[in-house]
Amino acid sequence: MKNATLKKVRITDTTLRDAHQSLWATRMRTDDILKIAEAIDNAGYYSLECWGGATFDVCMRFLRENPWERLRQIKAVCKKTPLQMLLRGQNILGYKHYPDDIVERFVALACENGMDIFRVFDALNDPRNLEKAIASVKKYGGHAQGTISYTTSPVHTVEAYVKLAKEQEAMGIDSLAIKDMAGILTPGAARELVGALVKALPEMPIQVHSHMTSGMAAAMYLAAVEAGAGCVDCAISTMSSFSSQPPCESMVTILESEGYDTGLDQKKLADINAYFRELKATRQPASSAKVEPVDAGVLVHAIPGGMISNLRSQLAQQGALDRLPEVLEELPRTRADMGYPPLVTPTSQIVGVQSVLNVLGGKRYGMVTDETKHYAAGYYGRTPAPIEKKLQKKLVGDLKPITCRPADLLKPGLAAAAKEIPAKLIKAEEDILSYCLFPEVALGYFKWRAQPADAKDPIPADLEMKGEGENVKGEVAAVDPETAKFAQIGKAFAALMAACGGAKGGDLGLKIEDLSLKDEPGAAKGEAGGTRSCASENDASAIPAGTPVLAPLNGTFYRSAGPGKPEMAKDGDSVKSGAPVCIVEAMKLFNPIKATANGKITFLVEHGKPVTKGQTLAVIA
Ligand code: CO
C-alpha cells in the first residue's frame, strides 16, 4: 500500500466480513465464501477482510462452523491477496479485557492459520489496550495495522488524533487505519485529518474505513485519497451501501476519473458481484431488507442507526417508546459526562443503556449499570476526556478506581480455561482460544460437533431460515451478537440465568445499582404515587400498610439472585434500609432492589413474574 502521491490507490474488500456483518447479520457461510474465493483472490484487491469482528461468534453460534477452519480454508484458496482481520485490541473479538497470555496466543494461532493483516482497534483509543495485540502481531510476523476509532467531540481534535497515531507508530505499527464506524467522517474533516497524519507520519501508509450509513463515505474516501490515503475499504456492490461500505465498482470509477489507478478490473468485479446477487436471496435476513438506504439522522445527531434501533427496542420493553426523543437528547449529554467515548462496542452499549436509565429513572444517574461503574472506574481504559471528579465518585460507588493498564490486573487465563473444557471435546489448541472468547457458545458448538455425523441437531441458521430460529434451544434467536446484548431482553436473560445459574453471565449479566435510594432514602417513598400506574396489578386496598418497595423499571421480579440460590429476604424478615432484598431484571440489567426502610418485609409479587415501573414489590412495616 503506497500513499497516493504515486496516483495508485488500493482497495480492501470487506465483502467477506464487515459487509455481511452489516447487511446479512454475518450469516454468510464458509461454503458460500469458498465458491467465490478464487475469483476474489484474482481481482487485485489490496487485502481481503474476511475474519474477526462478529464472524467468529456467529460461526460457532449460528452456523455450527469452526472459525479457525474457515480461516484455513480461505487461506488455502487465496494465495495472492493478504487476508485481513478486525481485532478489538485487548478485547480480542469479545467484549471484555482478556489476559495478555490469551491475546498473544490468539494472535499467534491466527498468524499460524493464515492471517496476514491485523487491524487492531480500541473503543476508547487507549493505546494501552492496543499494545499487547500489536506487539504480538509483530512477534508472530503479521502486519500490524493501528487504528484511530473516529468520533467527534471537543477533545477529539486533529492534534489528539495525530498524537494517538504517533503513539501507535512507536509501538511499531506497519500502517494506520482511520475507522469511521458510524459513517460520520465528512470529506472536509477527512482531508484535514489525513493531511495532518501524512505530514506528521510521512512514511506511514494510511487506510480509511467507513460505512455508507449517512451516505457520505464515497465522497469522503475521495477527499481522503486526495489528501494522501493509500487505501480505502469497499464492498462488492450487492453487499455495499446502507450500513455497509461504499460499492467497490463505483469507487474504482470515481478514483479513475480523478487519475488514480486501483488495479481492479470492472469485468472481474462484475462476475464476483453476480455471485453475491444470487446468494443474497438465501442469506439476507428479512429484517435487513427493510432498512432505509440512507440514515440521514446520523448527520443530525451522530448516533448510528443500529444504536437507535437498540434504544427503541429497550424503550419498547419499558412501554416508553414515546420517550425516544428525550433519550436521543440525553445521549450526547451522557456521552459528554462519560468523557466523550467513541460510540462503538462496548461503549455504545454502556452509554446507550445509561442514557435510557437517565431518562426513565427520572433522575440522571439515579440508577447506574455495573458496566458504567466499571467504565467510570477505569476498567475499560482511559476515557478520552476525564470524568468530572464528583460524578466519577458517584458512578464508581464502592468500586476501587484504577489508573493502570486494565489488563495488568488480569492473571494468565489460558491454562485454567483449558482445564474447564471436557478433554474429549477438544480437538485442537484453537478450540481452547474459542472457549476463552465465547465459553458458552464454544461449548455448544463443541458438543454439536461431537454428535455422530448422521444424528446432529439442526444448524440454528437453517432453523432461522425456516422461521423456527426462536426454537433453537438455549440460543438467542436471529440477532447479530453485536446487537444481541441490547435487543433480546427478557428471553436472553432467562436463558442466561438458566445457563449460568445466576446473573454473572459475562457481558450479558449486567447489574445496576439504585443510587437514588442510597443518596436519598426517601426517594422511593416520594415516588409512591407511581403505584397508580399499576393499579390493575395491585389493588391499592390490598396493599398492607408500610413503606413500599417499588419496581424502578418494567422487568421481571426475582426473590433470589439466581436459580438454586436462597431468597434474598423471606416474608416477615427484619430488613435494614439499603439492604438488597430482591431483584428486578430489565434491559438485561440485573437490578438489586434495596429495602426502603427498617422493619418487617412482606412481598407482594411472586418470583419470576413480570412487574411494571412503580409497582409495589413489597411493603416494609
Ligand atoms: Co466497519
Side-chain angles (χ1 to χ4, degrees), residues 15-17 20 24-30 32-33 36 58-59 63 65 70 239 276 279 283:
T15 305
L16 306 179
R17 204 287 297 177
H20 78 108
W24 293 359
T26 333
R27 295 302 196 269
M28 201 185 289
R29 304 180 186 199
T30 300
D32 301 335
I33 294 171
I36 194 69
V58 172
C59 263
L63 309 178
E65 288 185 11
R70 170 179 290 191
M239 305 293 298
F276 287 103
L279 187 64
R283 292 290 179 261

mmCIF file with all atom_site columns, all heavy atoms in Angstrom, residues 15-17 20 24-30 32-33 36 58-59 63 65 70 239 276 279 283:
data_model
loop_
_atom_site.group_PDB
_atom_site.id
_atom_site.type_symbol
_atom_site.label_atom_id
_atom_site.label_alt_id
_atom_site.label_comp_id
_atom_site.label_asym_id
_atom_site.label_entity_id
_atom_site.label_seq_id
_atom_site.pdbx_PDB_ins_code
_atom_site.Cartn_x
_atom_site.Cartn_y
_atom_site.Cartn_z
_atom_site.occupancy
_atom_site.B_iso_or_equiv
_atom_site.pdbx_formal_charge
_atom_site.auth_seq_id
_atom_site.auth_comp_id
_atom_site.auth_asym_id
_atom_site.auth_atom_id
_atom_site.pdbx_PDB_model_num
ATOM 1   N N   . THR A 1 15  ? -16.241 -7.532  1.720  1.00 0.00 ? 15  THR A N   1
ATOM 2   C CA  . THR A 1 15  ? -17.438 -8.345  1.470  1.00 0.00 ? 15  THR A CA  1
ATOM 3   C C   . THR A 1 15  ? -17.544 -9.536  2.418  1.00 0.00 ? 15  THR A C   1
ATOM 4   O O   . THR A 1 15  ? -18.636 -9.869  2.887  1.00 0.00 ? 15  THR A O   1
ATOM 5   C CB  . THR A 1 15  ? -17.419 -8.842  0.005  1.00 0.00 ? 15  THR A CB  1
ATOM 6   O OG1 . THR A 1 15  ? -17.297 -7.700  -0.842 1.00 0.00 ? 15  THR A OG1 1
ATOM 7   C CG2 . THR A 1 15  ? -18.681 -9.610  -0.344 1.00 0.00 ? 15  THR A CG2 1
ATOM 8   N N   . LEU A 1 16  ? -16.400 -10.156 2.717  1.00 0.00 ? 16  LEU A N   1
ATOM 9   C CA  . LEU A 1 16  ? -16.431 -11.405 3.487  1.00 0.00 ? 16  LEU A CA  1
ATOM 10  C C   . LEU A 1 16  ? -16.443 -11.175 5.004  1.00 0.00 ? 16  LEU A C   1
ATOM 11  O O   . LEU A 1 16  ? -16.453 -12.128 5.773  1.00 0.00 ? 16  LEU A O   1
ATOM 12  C CB  . LEU A 1 16  ? -15.235 -12.288 3.096  1.00 0.00 ? 16  LEU A CB  1
ATOM 13  C CG  . LEU A 1 16  ? -15.111 -12.571 1.597  1.00 0.00 ? 16  LEU A CG  1
ATOM 14  C CD1 . LEU A 1 16  ? -13.883 -13.427 1.310  1.00 0.00 ? 16  LEU A CD1 1
ATOM 15  C CD2 . LEU A 1 16  ? -16.369 -13.243 1.032  1.00 0.00 ? 16  LEU A CD2 1
ATOM 16  N N   . ARG A 1 17  ? -16.433 -9.916  5.445  1.00 0.00 ? 17  ARG A N   1
ATOM 17  C CA  . ARG A 1 17  ? -16.524 -9.660  6.889  1.00 0.00 ? 17  ARG A CA  1
ATOM 18  C C   . ARG A 1 17  ? -17.497 -8.515  7.178  1.00 0.00 ? 17  ARG A C   1
ATOM 19  O O   . ARG A 1 17  ? -18.669 -8.740  7.422  1.00 0.00 ? 17  ARG A O   1
ATOM 20  C CB  . ARG A 1 17  ? -15.126 -9.362  7.479  1.00 0.00 ? 17  ARG A CB  1
ATOM 21  C CG  . ARG A 1 17  ? -14.999 -9.661  8.981  1.00 0.00 ? 17  ARG A CG  1
ATOM 22  C CD  . ARG A 1 17  ? -15.699 -8.684  9.901  1.00 0.00 ? 17  ARG A CD  1
ATOM 23  N NE  . ARG A 1 17  ? -15.163 -7.329  9.813  1.00 0.00 ? 17  ARG A NE  1
ATOM 24  C CZ  . ARG A 1 17  ? -15.682 -6.297  10.491 1.00 0.00 ? 17  ARG A CZ  1
ATOM 25  N NH1 . ARG A 1 17  ? -16.699 -6.475  11.295 1.00 0.00 ? 17  ARG A NH1 1
ATOM 26  N NH2 . ARG A 1 17  ? -15.183 -5.086  10.326 1.00 0.00 ? 17  ARG A NH2 1
ATOM 27  N N   . HIS A 1 20  ? -21.074 -8.339  5.180  1.00 0.00 ? 20  HIS A N   1
ATOM 28  C CA  . HIS A 1 20  ? -22.181 -9.241  5.545  1.00 0.00 ? 20  HIS A CA  1
ATOM 29  C C   . HIS A 1 20  ? -22.520 -9.140  7.024  1.00 0.00 ? 20  HIS A C   1
ATOM 30  O O   . HIS A 1 20  ? -23.642 -9.423  7.420  1.00 0.00 ? 20  HIS A O   1
ATOM 31  C CB  . HIS A 1 20  ? -21.957 -10.676 5.053  1.00 0.00 ? 20  HIS A CB  1
ATOM 32  C CG  . HIS A 1 20  ? -21.031 -11.554 5.818  1.00 0.00 ? 20  HIS A CG  1
ATOM 33  N ND1 . HIS A 1 20  ? -21.474 -12.608 6.587  1.00 0.00 ? 20  HIS A ND1 1
ATOM 34  C CD2 . HIS A 1 20  ? -19.696 -11.572 5.904  1.00 0.00 ? 20  HIS A CD2 1
ATOM 35  C CE1 . HIS A 1 20  ? -20.428 -13.222 7.111  1.00 0.00 ? 20  HIS A CE1 1
ATOM 36  N NE2 . HIS A 1 20  ? -19.332 -12.616 6.711  1.00 0.00 ? 20  HIS A NE2 1
ATOM 37  N N   . TRP A 1 24  ? -26.154 -8.734  6.427  1.00 0.00 ? 24  TRP A N   1
ATOM 38  C CA  . TRP A 1 24  ? -26.750 -10.071 6.484  1.00 0.00 ? 24  TRP A CA  1
ATOM 39  C C   . TRP A 1 24  ? -26.608 -10.708 7.871  1.00 0.00 ? 24  TRP A C   1
ATOM 40  O O   . TRP A 1 24  ? -26.626 -11.936 7.993  1.00 0.00 ? 24  TRP A O   1
ATOM 41  C CB  . TRP A 1 24  ? -26.082 -11.009 5.451  1.00 0.00 ? 24  TRP A CB  1
ATOM 42  C CG  . TRP A 1 24  ? -26.341 -10.655 4.017  1.00 0.00 ? 24  TRP A CG  1
ATOM 43  C CD1 . TRP A 1 24  ? -27.105 -9.631  3.536  1.00 0.00 ? 24  TRP A CD1 1
ATOM 44  C CD2 . TRP A 1 24  ? -25.828 -11.333 2.860  1.00 0.00 ? 24  TRP A CD2 1
ATOM 45  N NE1 . TRP A 1 24  ? -27.091 -9.623  2.159  1.00 0.00 ? 24  TRP A NE1 1
ATOM 46  C CE2 . TRP A 1 24  ? -26.312 -10.658 1.724  1.00 0.00 ? 24  TRP A CE2 1
ATOM 47  C CE3 . TRP A 1 24  ? -24.996 -12.449 2.683  1.00 0.00 ? 24  TRP A CE3 1
ATOM 48  C CZ2 . TRP A 1 24  ? -26.006 -11.063 0.425  1.00 0.00 ? 24  TRP A CZ2 1
ATOM 49  C CZ3 . TRP A 1 24  ? -24.692 -12.853 1.394  1.00 0.00 ? 24  TRP A CZ3 1
ATOM 50  C CH2 . TRP A 1 24  ? -25.196 -12.168 0.273  1.00 0.00 ? 24  TRP A CH2 1
ATOM 51  N N   . ALA A 1 25  ? -26.478 -9.906  8.894  1.00 0.00 ? 25  ALA A N   1
ATOM 52  C CA  . ALA A 1 25  ? -26.309 -10.425 10.253 1.00 0.00 ? 25  ALA A CA  1
ATOM 53  C C   . ALA A 1 25  ? -25.193 -11.474 10.328 1.00 0.00 ? 25  ALA A C   1
ATOM 54  O O   . ALA A 1 25  ? -25.258 -12.422 11.097 1.00 0.00 ? 25  ALA A O   1
ATOM 55  C CB  . ALA A 1 25  ? -27.619 -10.996 10.790 1.00 0.00 ? 25  ALA A CB  1
ATOM 56  N N   . THR A 1 26  ? -24.182 -11.293 9.475  1.00 0.00 ? 26  THR A N   1
ATOM 57  C CA  . THR A 1 26  ? -22.969 -12.141 9.479  1.00 0.00 ? 26  THR A CA  1
ATOM 58  C C   . THR A 1 26  ? -23.274 -13.598 9.118  1.00 0.00 ? 26  THR A C   1
ATOM 59  O O   . THR A 1 26  ? -22.546 -14.509 9.524  1.00 0.00 ? 26  THR A O   1
ATOM 60  C CB  . THR A 1 26  ? -22.247 -12.079 10.869 1.00 0.00 ? 26  THR A CB  1
ATOM 61  O OG1 . THR A 1 26  ? -22.538 -10.829 11.506 1.00 0.00 ? 26  THR A OG1 1
ATOM 62  C CG2 . THR A 1 26  ? -20.748 -12.167 10.724 1.00 0.00 ? 26  THR A CG2 1
ATOM 63  N N   . ARG A 1 27  ? -24.353 -13.812 8.343  1.00 0.00 ? 27  ARG A N   1
ATOM 64  C CA  . ARG A 1 27  ? -24.782 -15.194 8.111  1.00 0.00 ? 27  ARG A CA  1
ATOM 65  C C   . ARG A 1 27  ? -24.141 -15.873 6.891  1.00 0.00 ? 27  ARG A C   1
ATOM 66  O O   . ARG A 1 27  ? -24.537 -16.970 6.514  1.00 0.00 ? 27  ARG A O   1
ATOM 67  C CB  . ARG A 1 27  ? -26.311 -15.265 7.967  1.00 0.00 ? 27  ARG A CB  1
ATOM 68  C CG  . ARG A 1 27  ? -27.060 -14.889 9.243  1.00 0.00 ? 27  ARG A CG  1
ATOM 69  C CD  . ARG A 1 27  ? -26.675 -15.769 10.402 1.00 0.00 ? 27  ARG A CD  1
ATOM 70  N NE  . ARG A 1 27  ? -27.638 -15.652 11.491 1.00 0.00 ? 27  ARG A NE  1
ATOM 71  C CZ  . ARG A 1 27  ? -27.559 -14.783 12.497 1.00 0.00 ? 27  ARG A CZ  1
ATOM 72  N NH1 . ARG A 1 27  ? -26.525 -13.957 12.582 1.00 0.00 ? 27  ARG A NH1 1
ATOM 73  N NH2 . ARG A 1 27  ? -28.494 -14.745 13.421 1.00 0.00 ? 27  ARG A NH2 1
ATOM 74  N N   . MET A 1 28  ? -23.164 -15.235 6.252  1.00 0.00 ? 28  MET A N   1
ATOM 75  C CA  . MET A 1 28  ? -22.501 -15.897 5.136  1.00 0.00 ? 28  MET A CA  1
ATOM 76  C C   . MET A 1 28  ? -21.740 -17.106 5.668  1.00 0.00 ? 28  MET A C   1
ATOM 77  O O   . MET A 1 28  ? -21.154 -17.056 6.740  1.00 0.00 ? 28  MET A O   1
ATOM 78  C CB  . MET A 1 28  ? -21.535 -14.941 4.447  1.00 0.00 ? 28  MET A CB  1
ATOM 79  C CG  . MET A 1 28  ? -21.196 -15.357 3.031  1.00 0.00 ? 28  MET A CG  1
ATOM 80  S SD  . MET A 1 28  ? -19.943 -14.278 2.292  1.00 0.00 ? 28  MET A SD  1
ATOM 81  C CE  . MET A 1 28  ? -20.862 -12.765 2.039  1.00 0.00 ? 28  MET A CE  1
ATOM 82  N N   . ARG A 1 29  ? -21.797 -18.206 4.913  1.00 0.00 ? 29  ARG A N   1
ATOM 83  C CA  . ARG A 1 29  ? -21.170 -19.450 5.398  1.00 0.00 ? 29  ARG A CA  1
ATOM 84  C C   . ARG A 1 29  ? -19.847 -19.698 4.687  1.00 0.00 ? 29  ARG A C   1
ATOM 85  O O   . ARG A 1 29  ? -19.590 -19.137 3.619  1.00 0.00 ? 29  ARG A O   1
ATOM 86  C CB  . ARG A 1 29  ? -22.137 -20.605 5.163  1.00 0.00 ? 29  ARG A CB  1
ATOM 87  C CG  . ARG A 1 29  ? -23.462 -20.295 5.850  1.00 0.00 ? 29  ARG A CG  1
ATOM 88  C CD  . ARG A 1 29  ? -24.477 -21.384 5.669  1.00 0.00 ? 29  ARG A CD  1
ATOM 89  N NE  . ARG A 1 29  ? -25.746 -20.916 6.242  1.00 0.00 ? 29  ARG A NE  1
ATOM 90  C CZ  . ARG A 1 29  ? -26.739 -21.714 6.578  1.00 0.00 ? 29  ARG A CZ  1
ATOM 91  N NH1 . ARG A 1 29  ? -26.632 -23.013 6.403  1.00 0.00 ? 29  ARG A NH1 1
ATOM 92  N NH2 . ARG A 1 29  ? -27.848 -21.222 7.076  1.00 0.00 ? 29  ARG A NH2 1
ATOM 93  N N   . THR A 1 30  ? -19.051 -20.563 5.262  1.00 0.00 ? 30  THR A N   1
ATOM 94  C CA  . THR A 1 30  ? -17.737 -20.839 4.681  1.00 0.00 ? 30  THR A CA  1
ATOM 95  C C   . THR A 1 30  ? -17.875 -21.367 3.258  1.00 0.00 ? 30  THR A C   1
ATOM 96  O O   . THR A 1 30  ? -17.136 -20.969 2.362  1.00 0.00 ? 30  THR A O   1
ATOM 97  C CB  . THR A 1 30  ? -16.968 -21.825 5.574  1.00 0.00 ? 30  THR A CB  1
ATOM 98  O OG1 . THR A 1 30  ? -16.817 -21.219 6.865  1.00 0.00 ? 30  THR A OG1 1
ATOM 99  C CG2 . THR A 1 30  ? -15.599 -22.130 5.002  1.00 0.00 ? 30  THR A CG2 1
ATOM 100 N N   . ASP A 1 32  ? -20.172 -20.678 1.125  1.00 0.00 ? 32  ASP A N   1
ATOM 101 C CA  . ASP A 1 32  ? -20.502 -19.534 0.258  1.00 0.00 ? 32  ASP A CA  1
ATOM 102 C C   . ASP A 1 32  ? -19.219 -18.814 -0.148 1.00 0.00 ? 32  ASP A C   1
ATOM 103 O O   . ASP A 1 32  ? -19.073 -18.371 -1.284 1.00 0.00 ? 32  ASP A O   1
ATOM 104 C CB  . ASP A 1 32  ? -21.380 -18.511 1.006  1.00 0.00 ? 32  ASP A CB  1
ATOM 105 C CG  . ASP A 1 32  ? -22.696 -19.106 1.511  1.00 0.00 ? 32  ASP A CG  1
ATOM 106 O OD1 . ASP A 1 32  ? -23.159 -20.102 0.935  1.00 0.00 ? 32  ASP A OD1 1
ATOM 107 O OD2 . ASP A 1 32  ? -23.247 -18.548 2.496  1.00 0.00 ? 32  ASP A OD2 1
ATOM 108 N N   . ILE A 1 33  ? -18.326 -18.671 0.829  1.00 0.00 ? 33  ILE A N   1
ATOM 109 C CA  . ILE A 1 33  ? -17.078 -17.932 0.596  1.00 0.00 ? 33  ILE A CA  1
ATOM 110 C C   . ILE A 1 33  ? -16.168 -18.715 -0.339 1.00 0.00 ? 33  ILE A C   1
ATOM 111 O O   . ILE A 1 33  ? -15.607 -18.165 -1.297 1.00 0.00 ? 33  ILE A O   1
ATOM 112 C CB  . ILE A 1 33  ? -16.366 -17.660 1.942  1.00 0.00 ? 33  ILE A CB  1
ATOM 113 C CG1 . ILE A 1 33  ? -17.204 -16.704 2.792  1.00 0.00 ? 33  ILE A CG1 1
ATOM 114 C CG2 . ILE A 1 33  ? -14.957 -17.110 1.718  1.00 0.00 ? 33  ILE A CG2 1
ATOM 115 C CD1 . ILE A 1 33  ? -16.726 -16.531 4.235  1.00 0.00 ? 33  ILE A CD1 1
ATOM 116 N N   . ILE A 1 36  ? -16.443 -18.555 -4.200 1.00 0.00 ? 36  ILE A N   1
ATOM 117 C CA  . ILE A 1 36  ? -16.077 -17.337 -4.933 1.00 0.00 ? 36  ILE A CA  1
ATOM 118 C C   . ILE A 1 36  ? -14.667 -16.854 -4.547 1.00 0.00 ? 36  ILE A C   1
ATOM 119 O O   . ILE A 1 36  ? -14.150 -15.883 -5.104 1.00 0.00 ? 36  ILE A O   1
ATOM 120 C CB  . ILE A 1 36  ? -17.145 -16.233 -4.669 1.00 0.00 ? 36  ILE A CB  1
ATOM 121 C CG1 . ILE A 1 36  ? -17.025 -15.053 -5.647 1.00 0.00 ? 36  ILE A CG1 1
ATOM 122 C CG2 . ILE A 1 36  ? -17.108 -15.724 -3.225 1.00 0.00 ? 36  ILE A CG2 1
ATOM 123 C CD1 . ILE A 1 36  ? -17.410 -15.377 -7.066 1.00 0.00 ? 36  ILE A CD1 1
ATOM 124 N N   . VAL A 1 58  ? -20.501 -15.812 15.386 1.00 0.00 ? 58  VAL A N   1
ATOM 125 C CA  . VAL A 1 58  ? -21.615 -16.304 14.563 1.00 0.00 ? 58  VAL A CA  1
ATOM 126 C C   . VAL A 1 58  ? -21.299 -17.672 13.962 1.00 0.00 ? 58  VAL A C   1
ATOM 127 O O   . VAL A 1 58  ? -22.169 -18.538 13.869 1.00 0.00 ? 58  VAL A O   1
ATOM 128 C CB  . VAL A 1 58  ? -21.975 -15.282 13.467 1.00 0.00 ? 58  VAL A CB  1
ATOM 129 C CG1 . VAL A 1 58  ? -22.992 -15.864 12.493 1.00 0.00 ? 58  VAL A CG1 1
ATOM 130 C CG2 . VAL A 1 58  ? -22.529 -14.006 14.096 1.00 0.00 ? 58  VAL A CG2 1
ATOM 131 N N   . CYS A 1 59  ? -20.049 -17.868 13.552 1.00 0.00 ? 59  CYS A N   1
ATOM 132 C CA  . CYS A 1 59  ? -19.649 -19.182 13.009 1.00 0.00 ? 59  CYS A CA  1
ATOM 133 C C   . CYS A 1 59  ? -20.084 -20.299 13.959 1.00 0.00 ? 59  CYS A C   1
ATOM 134 O O   . CYS A 1 59  ? -20.741 -21.249 13.550 1.00 0.00 ? 59  CYS A O   1
ATOM 135 C CB  . CYS A 1 59  ? -18.126 -19.246 12.858 1.00 0.00 ? 59  CYS A CB  1
ATOM 136 S SG  . CYS A 1 59  ? -17.537 -18.866 11.217 1.00 0.00 ? 59  CYS A SG  1
ATOM 137 N N   . LEU A 1 63  ? -23.945 -20.938 12.817 1.00 0.00 ? 63  LEU A N   1
ATOM 138 C CA  . LEU A 1 63  ? -23.638 -21.730 11.620 1.00 0.00 ? 63  LEU A CA  1
ATOM 139 C C   . LEU A 1 63  ? -23.061 -23.097 11.957 1.00 0.00 ? 63  LEU A C   1
ATOM 140 O O   . LEU A 1 63  ? -22.924 -23.940 11.077 1.00 0.00 ? 63  LEU A O   1
ATOM 141 C CB  . LEU A 1 63  ? -22.652 -20.964 10.719 1.00 0.00 ? 63  LEU A CB  1
ATOM 142 C CG  . LEU A 1 63  ? -23.037 -19.512 10.372 1.00 0.00 ? 63  LEU A CG  1
ATOM 143 C CD1 . LEU A 1 63  ? -21.959 -18.857 9.515  1.00 0.00 ? 63  LEU A CD1 1
ATOM 144 C CD2 . LEU A 1 63  ? -24.378 -19.464 9.646  1.00 0.00 ? 63  LEU A CD2 1
ATOM 145 N N   . GLU A 1 65  ? -20.013 -23.782 12.656 1.00 0.00 ? 65  GLU A N   1
ATOM 146 C CA  . GLU A 1 65  ? -18.759 -23.910 11.912 1.00 0.00 ? 65  GLU A CA  1
ATOM 147 C C   . GLU A 1 65  ? -17.600 -23.568 12.849 1.00 0.00 ? 65  GLU A C   1
ATOM 148 O O   . GLU A 1 65  ? -17.761 -22.777 13.781 1.00 0.00 ? 65  GLU A O   1
ATOM 149 C CB  . GLU A 1 65  ? -18.716 -22.901 10.756 1.00 0.00 ? 65  GLU A CB  1
ATOM 150 C CG  . GLU A 1 65  ? -19.639 -23.225 9.608  1.00 0.00 ? 65  GLU A CG  1
ATOM 151 C CD  . GLU A 1 65  ? -19.438 -22.230 8.464  1.00 0.00 ? 65  GLU A CD  1
ATOM 152 O OE1 . GLU A 1 65  ? -18.458 -21.453 8.497  1.00 0.00 ? 65  GLU A OE1 1
ATOM 153 O OE2 . GLU A 1 65  ? -20.265 -22.238 7.552  1.00 0.00 ? 65  GLU A OE2 1
ATOM 154 N N   . ARG A 1 70  ? -12.519 -22.069 8.919  1.00 0.00 ? 70  ARG A N   1
ATOM 155 C CA  . ARG A 1 70  ? -12.860 -21.113 7.863  1.00 0.00 ? 70  ARG A CA  1
ATOM 156 C C   . ARG A 1 70  ? -11.598 -20.374 7.409  1.00 0.00 ? 70  ARG A C   1
ATOM 157 O O   . ARG A 1 70  ? -11.340 -20.241 6.213  1.00 0.00 ? 70  ARG A O   1
ATOM 158 C CB  . ARG A 1 70  ? -13.911 -20.107 8.353  1.00 0.00 ? 70  ARG A CB  1
ATOM 159 C CG  . ARG A 1 70  ? -14.112 -18.964 7.358  1.00 0.00 ? 70  ARG A CG  1
ATOM 160 C CD  . ARG A 1 70  ? -15.161 -17.960 7.788  1.00 0.00 ? 70  ARG A CD  1
ATOM 161 N NE  . ARG A 1 70  ? -16.510 -18.523 7.744  1.00 0.00 ? 70  ARG A NE  1
ATOM 162 C CZ  . ARG A 1 70  ? -17.625 -17.810 7.875  1.00 0.00 ? 70  ARG A CZ  1
ATOM 163 N NH1 . ARG A 1 70  ? -17.566 -16.501 8.019  1.00 0.00 ? 70  ARG A NH1 1
ATOM 164 N NH2 . ARG A 1 70  ? -18.802 -18.391 7.840  1.00 0.00 ? 70  ARG A NH2 1
ATOM 165 N N   . MET A 1 239 ? -23.235 -6.140  -1.901 1.00 0.00 ? 239 MET A N   1
ATOM 166 C CA  . MET A 1 239 ? -23.000 -6.193  -0.453 1.00 0.00 ? 239 MET A CA  1
ATOM 167 C C   . MET A 1 239 ? -22.626 -4.820  0.110  1.00 0.00 ? 239 MET A C   1
ATOM 168 O O   . MET A 1 239 ? -22.070 -4.728  1.197  1.00 0.00 ? 239 MET A O   1
ATOM 169 C CB  . MET A 1 239 ? -21.854 -7.162  -0.138 1.00 0.00 ? 239 MET A CB  1
ATOM 170 C CG  . MET A 1 239 ? -22.024 -8.546  -0.672 1.00 0.00 ? 239 MET A CG  1
ATOM 171 S SD  . MET A 1 239 ? -23.365 -9.394  0.130  1.00 0.00 ? 239 MET A SD  1
ATOM 172 C CE  . MET A 1 239 ? -22.790 -9.440  1.814  1.00 0.00 ? 239 MET A CE  1
ATOM 173 N N   . PHE A 1 276 ? -22.750 -12.818 -5.702 1.00 0.00 ? 276 PHE A N   1
ATOM 174 C CA  . PHE A 1 276 ? -23.382 -12.377 -4.451 1.00 0.00 ? 276 PHE A CA  1
ATOM 175 C C   . PHE A 1 276 ? -24.831 -11.950 -4.660 1.00 0.00 ? 276 PHE A C   1
ATOM 176 O O   . PHE A 1 276 ? -25.663 -12.091 -3.766 1.00 0.00 ? 276 PHE A O   1
ATOM 177 C CB  . PHE A 1 276 ? -22.565 -11.254 -3.801 1.00 0.00 ? 276 PHE A CB  1
ATOM 178 C CG  . PHE A 1 276 ? -21.295 -11.770 -3.185 1.00 0.00 ? 276 PHE A CG  1
ATOM 179 C CD1 . PHE A 1 276 ? -20.066 -11.589 -3.807 1.00 0.00 ? 276 PHE A CD1 1
ATOM 180 C CD2 . PHE A 1 276 ? -21.334 -12.486 -1.999 1.00 0.00 ? 276 PHE A CD2 1
ATOM 181 C CE1 . PHE A 1 276 ? -18.904 -12.099 -3.251 1.00 0.00 ? 276 PHE A CE1 1
ATOM 182 C CE2 . PHE A 1 276 ? -20.183 -12.999 -1.432 1.00 0.00 ? 276 PHE A CE2 1
ATOM 183 C CZ  . PHE A 1 276 ? -18.960 -12.811 -2.066 1.00 0.00 ? 276 PHE A CZ  1
ATOM 184 N N   . LEU A 1 279 ? -26.628 -15.061 -4.284 1.00 0.00 ? 279 LEU A N   1
ATOM 185 C CA  . LEU A 1 279 ? -26.554 -15.574 -2.906 1.00 0.00 ? 279 LEU A CA  1
ATOM 186 C C   . LEU A 1 279 ? -27.500 -14.819 -1.962 1.00 0.00 ? 279 LEU A C   1
ATOM 187 O O   . LEU A 1 279 ? -28.045 -15.380 -1.012 1.00 0.00 ? 279 LEU A O   1
ATOM 188 C CB  . LEU A 1 279 ? -25.110 -15.448 -2.402 1.00 0.00 ? 279 LEU A CB  1
ATOM 189 C CG  . LEU A 1 279 ? -24.773 -16.068 -1.038 1.00 0.00 ? 279 LEU A CG  1
ATOM 190 C CD1 . LEU A 1 279 ? -24.958 -17.577 -1.074 1.00 0.00 ? 279 LEU A CD1 1
ATOM 191 C CD2 . LEU A 1 279 ? -23.333 -15.723 -0.648 1.00 0.00 ? 279 LEU A CD2 1
ATOM 192 N N   . ARG A 1 283 ? -29.430 -15.588 1.850  1.00 0.00 ? 283 ARG A N   1
ATOM 193 C CA  . ARG A 1 283 ? -28.616 -15.211 3.001  1.00 0.00 ? 283 ARG A CA  1
ATOM 194 C C   . ARG A 1 283 ? -29.018 -13.903 3.674  1.00 0.00 ? 283 ARG A C   1
ATOM 195 O O   . ARG A 1 283 ? -28.620 -13.644 4.803  1.00 0.00 ? 283 ARG A O   1
ATOM 196 C CB  . ARG A 1 283 ? -27.136 -15.116 2.583  1.00 0.00 ? 283 ARG A CB  1
ATOM 197 C CG  . ARG A 1 283 ? -26.510 -16.447 2.230  1.00 0.00 ? 283 ARG A CG  1
ATOM 198 C CD  . ARG A 1 283 ? -26.338 -17.334 3.447  1.00 0.00 ? 283 ARG A CD  1
ATOM 199 N NE  . ARG A 1 283 ? -25.764 -18.614 3.096  1.00 0.00 ? 283 ARG A NE  1
ATOM 200 C CZ  . ARG A 1 283 ? -26.464 -19.737 2.919  1.00 0.00 ? 283 ARG A CZ  1
ATOM 201 N NH1 . ARG A 1 283 ? -27.777 -19.734 3.077  1.00 0.00 ? 283 ARG A NH1 1
ATOM 202 N NH2 . ARG A 1 283 ? -25.855 -20.860 2.615  1.00 0.00 ? 283 ARG A NH2 1
#
